[in-house]
Short mmCIF file of all heavy atoms in Angstrom, two decimals:
data_model
loop_
_atom_site.label_atom_id
_atom_site.label_comp_id
_atom_site.label_asym_id
_atom_site.label_seq_id
_atom_site.Cartn_x
_atom_site.Cartn_y
_atom_site.Cartn_z
N TYR A 61 -3.68 -33.54 59.79
CA TYR A 61 -4.20 -32.77 58.54
C TYR A 61 -5.62 -33.38 58.34
O TYR A 61 -6.18 -34.18 59.02
CB TYR A 61 -3.23 -33.09 57.40
CG TYR A 61 -3.40 -32.06 56.24
CD1 TYR A 61 -2.97 -30.72 56.44
CD2 TYR A 61 -3.88 -32.46 55.09
CE1 TYR A 61 -3.10 -29.75 55.48
CE2 TYR A 61 -3.97 -31.52 54.04
CZ TYR A 61 -3.64 -30.20 54.25
OH TYR A 61 -3.77 -29.32 53.26
N ARG A 65 -5.63 -34.80 50.27
CA ARG A 65 -4.29 -34.52 49.81
C ARG A 65 -3.78 -33.20 50.28
O ARG A 65 -3.05 -33.22 51.34
CB ARG A 65 -4.36 -34.47 48.24
CG ARG A 65 -4.53 -35.80 47.60
CD ARG A 65 -4.40 -35.69 46.13
NE ARG A 65 -4.55 -36.96 45.47
CZ ARG A 65 -4.59 -37.21 44.17
NH1 ARG A 65 -4.40 -36.17 43.29
NH2 ARG A 65 -4.77 -38.33 43.59
N GLY A 66 -4.17 -32.06 49.75
CA GLY A 66 -3.67 -30.78 50.20
C GLY A 66 -2.15 -30.79 50.37
O GLY A 66 -1.43 -31.42 49.61
N LYS A 67 -1.62 -29.95 51.27
CA LYS A 67 -0.21 -29.75 51.40
C LYS A 67 0.43 -30.92 52.06
O LYS A 67 1.64 -31.11 52.03
CB LYS A 67 0.12 -28.48 52.18
CG LYS A 67 -0.20 -27.26 51.44
CD LYS A 67 0.24 -26.00 52.10
CE LYS A 67 0.05 -24.83 51.22
NZ LYS A 67 0.56 -23.52 51.91
N MET A 68 -0.35 -31.77 52.73
CA MET A 68 0.22 -32.96 53.36
C MET A 68 0.62 -34.07 52.44
O MET A 68 1.48 -34.88 52.71
CB MET A 68 -0.77 -33.52 54.47
CG MET A 68 -0.19 -34.60 55.38
SD MET A 68 1.19 -34.11 56.46
CE MET A 68 0.26 -33.47 57.84
N GLU A 69 0.01 -34.18 51.26
CA GLU A 69 0.12 -35.31 50.43
C GLU A 69 1.67 -35.51 50.04
O GLU A 69 2.16 -36.67 49.99
CB GLU A 69 -0.65 -35.17 49.16
CG GLU A 69 -0.71 -36.43 48.31
CD GLU A 69 -1.43 -37.63 48.92
OE1 GLU A 69 -1.86 -37.51 50.13
OE2 GLU A 69 -1.60 -38.69 48.28
N ASP A 152 6.87 -27.86 42.86
CA ASP A 152 6.04 -27.09 43.85
C ASP A 152 5.17 -26.09 43.12
O ASP A 152 4.00 -25.97 43.38
CB ASP A 152 6.81 -26.47 44.90
CG ASP A 152 6.89 -27.25 46.17
OD1 ASP A 152 6.08 -28.17 46.33
OD2 ASP A 152 7.74 -26.92 47.01
N ASP A 153 5.79 -25.30 42.27
CA ASP A 153 5.00 -24.27 41.57
C ASP A 153 3.93 -24.95 40.74
O ASP A 153 2.75 -24.39 40.71
CB ASP A 153 6.00 -23.46 40.59
CG ASP A 153 6.90 -22.60 41.40
OD1 ASP A 153 6.74 -22.36 42.53
OD2 ASP A 153 7.89 -22.08 40.81
N LEU A 154 4.25 -25.97 39.96
CA LEU A 154 3.22 -26.61 39.19
C LEU A 154 2.04 -27.18 39.90
O LEU A 154 0.93 -27.04 39.78
CB LEU A 154 3.91 -27.74 38.31
CG LEU A 154 2.95 -28.55 37.42
CD1 LEU A 154 2.13 -27.76 36.47
CD2 LEU A 154 3.80 -29.62 36.67
N MET A 155 2.46 -27.94 41.09
CA MET A 155 1.42 -28.53 41.99
C MET A 155 0.58 -27.42 42.63
O MET A 155 -0.57 -27.65 42.98
CB MET A 155 2.11 -29.42 42.95
CG MET A 155 2.59 -30.74 42.29
SD MET A 155 2.99 -32.05 43.45
CE MET A 155 4.56 -31.38 44.22
N GLY A 156 1.22 -26.22 42.85
CA GLY A 156 0.43 -25.15 43.48
C GLY A 156 -0.80 -24.76 42.64
O GLY A 156 -1.79 -24.25 43.16
N PHE A 157 -0.63 -24.89 41.38
CA PHE A 157 -1.81 -24.48 40.39
C PHE A 157 -2.91 -25.58 40.63
O PHE A 157 -4.03 -25.28 40.27
CB PHE A 157 -1.36 -24.56 39.00
CG PHE A 157 -0.26 -23.59 38.63
CD1 PHE A 157 0.77 -23.90 37.82
CD2 PHE A 157 -0.36 -22.20 39.10
CE1 PHE A 157 1.70 -23.00 37.50
CE2 PHE A 157 0.63 -21.29 38.77
CZ PHE A 157 1.71 -21.63 37.93
N ILE A 158 -2.63 -26.72 41.13
CA ILE A 158 -3.57 -27.75 41.30
C ILE A 158 -4.20 -27.81 42.64
O ILE A 158 -5.30 -28.22 42.85
CB ILE A 158 -2.92 -29.18 40.99
CG1 ILE A 158 -2.30 -29.18 39.52
CG2 ILE A 158 -3.97 -30.25 41.05
CD1 ILE A 158 -1.50 -30.37 39.27
N LEU A 159 -3.42 -27.24 43.59
CA LEU A 159 -3.86 -27.38 45.10
C LEU A 159 -5.25 -26.79 45.37
O LEU A 159 -6.03 -27.46 46.11
CB LEU A 159 -2.82 -26.69 45.91
CG LEU A 159 -2.99 -26.69 47.47
CD1 LEU A 159 -2.80 -28.22 47.93
CD2 LEU A 159 -1.94 -25.82 48.18
N MET A 160 -5.53 -25.65 44.79
CA MET A 160 -6.84 -25.05 45.01
C MET A 160 -7.92 -25.45 44.07
O MET A 160 -9.10 -25.00 44.15
CB MET A 160 -6.67 -23.52 45.12
CG MET A 160 -5.77 -23.05 46.17
SD MET A 160 -6.10 -23.75 47.88
CE MET A 160 -7.72 -23.05 48.24
N PHE A 161 -7.58 -26.33 43.10
CA PHE A 161 -8.53 -26.76 42.13
C PHE A 161 -9.88 -27.25 42.67
O PHE A 161 -10.94 -26.87 42.08
CB PHE A 161 -7.84 -27.84 41.27
CG PHE A 161 -8.73 -28.27 40.04
CD1 PHE A 161 -8.61 -27.55 38.78
CD2 PHE A 161 -9.55 -29.37 40.11
CE1 PHE A 161 -9.35 -27.95 37.75
CE2 PHE A 161 -10.33 -29.77 38.99
CZ PHE A 161 -10.22 -29.01 37.80
N PRO A 162 -9.86 -28.08 43.71
CA PRO A 162 -11.14 -28.65 44.17
C PRO A 162 -12.07 -27.49 44.73
O PRO A 162 -13.32 -27.75 44.84
CB PRO A 162 -10.71 -29.60 45.36
CG PRO A 162 -9.29 -29.90 45.03
CD PRO A 162 -8.72 -28.67 44.41
N PHE A 163 -11.54 -26.34 45.08
CA PHE A 163 -12.37 -25.34 45.72
C PHE A 163 -12.90 -24.36 44.67
O PHE A 163 -13.58 -23.43 45.02
CB PHE A 163 -11.36 -24.50 46.63
CG PHE A 163 -10.92 -25.47 47.84
CD1 PHE A 163 -9.76 -26.10 47.68
CD2 PHE A 163 -11.65 -25.58 48.98
CE1 PHE A 163 -9.28 -26.96 48.69
CE2 PHE A 163 -11.23 -26.44 49.99
CZ PHE A 163 -10.05 -27.10 49.89
N LEU A 164 -12.63 -24.56 43.40
CA LEU A 164 -13.14 -23.64 42.33
C LEU A 164 -14.53 -23.96 41.90
O LEU A 164 -15.03 -25.14 42.14
CB LEU A 164 -12.21 -23.75 41.12
CG LEU A 164 -10.69 -23.36 41.30
CD1 LEU A 164 -9.96 -23.66 40.02
CD2 LEU A 164 -10.57 -21.91 41.71
N GLN A 172 -9.08 -23.58 34.76
CA GLN A 172 -7.85 -23.85 35.44
C GLN A 172 -7.29 -25.18 34.99
O GLN A 172 -6.00 -25.37 34.92
CB GLN A 172 -8.17 -24.05 36.93
CG GLN A 172 -6.93 -24.24 37.89
CD GLN A 172 -6.07 -23.02 37.94
OE1 GLN A 172 -6.26 -21.96 37.30
NE2 GLN A 172 -5.07 -23.03 38.86
N ILE A 176 -3.45 -25.38 33.82
CA ILE A 176 -2.47 -26.34 34.45
C ILE A 176 -1.79 -27.08 33.30
O ILE A 176 -0.51 -27.23 33.35
CB ILE A 176 -3.24 -27.33 35.37
CG1 ILE A 176 -3.69 -26.56 36.62
CG2 ILE A 176 -2.37 -28.51 35.72
CD1 ILE A 176 -4.76 -27.34 37.42
N MET A 218 -0.44 -36.00 39.10
CA MET A 218 -1.50 -35.05 39.39
C MET A 218 -1.89 -34.31 38.08
O MET A 218 -3.11 -34.12 37.87
CB MET A 218 -0.97 -33.99 40.34
CG MET A 218 -0.81 -34.42 41.79
SD MET A 218 -0.08 -33.26 42.84
CE MET A 218 -1.31 -32.02 43.04
N LYS A 222 -5.67 -34.50 35.14
CA LYS A 222 -6.30 -33.35 34.38
C LYS A 222 -6.29 -33.67 32.85
O LYS A 222 -7.16 -33.30 32.11
CB LYS A 222 -5.59 -32.03 34.64
CG LYS A 222 -5.55 -31.64 36.12
CD LYS A 222 -6.96 -31.44 36.70
CE LYS A 222 -6.92 -31.12 38.16
NZ LYS A 222 -7.09 -32.31 39.03
N PRO A 260 -9.38 -35.11 45.49
CA PRO A 260 -10.25 -34.48 46.52
C PRO A 260 -11.73 -34.44 45.98
O PRO A 260 -11.99 -34.03 44.83
CB PRO A 260 -9.70 -33.06 46.67
CG PRO A 260 -8.24 -33.24 46.34
CD PRO A 260 -8.20 -34.27 45.21
N TYR A 264 -14.34 -33.68 51.14
CA TYR A 264 -13.01 -33.09 51.57
C TYR A 264 -13.15 -31.50 51.52
O TYR A 264 -12.64 -30.85 52.55
CB TYR A 264 -11.87 -33.55 50.67
CG TYR A 264 -10.56 -32.77 50.78
CD1 TYR A 264 -9.73 -32.96 51.80
CD2 TYR A 264 -10.26 -31.82 49.87
CE1 TYR A 264 -8.55 -32.27 51.92
CE2 TYR A 264 -9.06 -31.01 49.90
CZ TYR A 264 -8.20 -31.30 50.99
OH TYR A 264 -7.01 -30.58 51.17
N VAL A 265 -13.63 -30.96 50.40
CA VAL A 265 -13.77 -29.56 50.32
C VAL A 265 -14.61 -28.95 51.37
O VAL A 265 -14.18 -27.93 52.10
CB VAL A 265 -14.34 -29.15 48.90
CG1 VAL A 265 -14.66 -27.68 48.91
CG2 VAL A 265 -13.40 -29.55 47.81
N VAL A 278 -12.68 -19.17 46.03
CA VAL A 278 -11.40 -19.32 45.40
C VAL A 278 -11.41 -18.96 43.95
O VAL A 278 -12.37 -19.43 43.26
CB VAL A 278 -10.70 -20.71 45.71
CG1 VAL A 278 -9.38 -20.79 45.05
CG2 VAL A 278 -10.63 -20.92 47.25
N ASN A 281 -6.37 -19.19 38.45
CA ASN A 281 -5.17 -18.34 38.04
C ASN A 281 -5.58 -17.53 36.81
O ASN A 281 -6.26 -17.95 35.91
CB ASN A 281 -4.02 -19.16 37.70
CG ASN A 281 -3.39 -19.72 38.98
OD1 ASN A 281 -2.70 -18.92 39.75
ND2 ASN A 281 -3.64 -20.96 39.36
#
Side-chain angles (χ1 to χ4, degrees):
Y61 200 68
R65 290 184 182 176
K67 291 188 174 182
M68 186 65 87
E69 189 70 354
D152 258 346
D153 290 345
L154 177 57
M155 288 193 288
F157 299 136
I158 304 173
L159 184 64
M160 299 308 294
F161 186 87
F163 298 89
L164 299 174
Q172 188 71 353
I176 289 164
M218 289 173 73
K222 302 294 177 272
Y264 166 78
V265 170
V278 176
N281 285 284

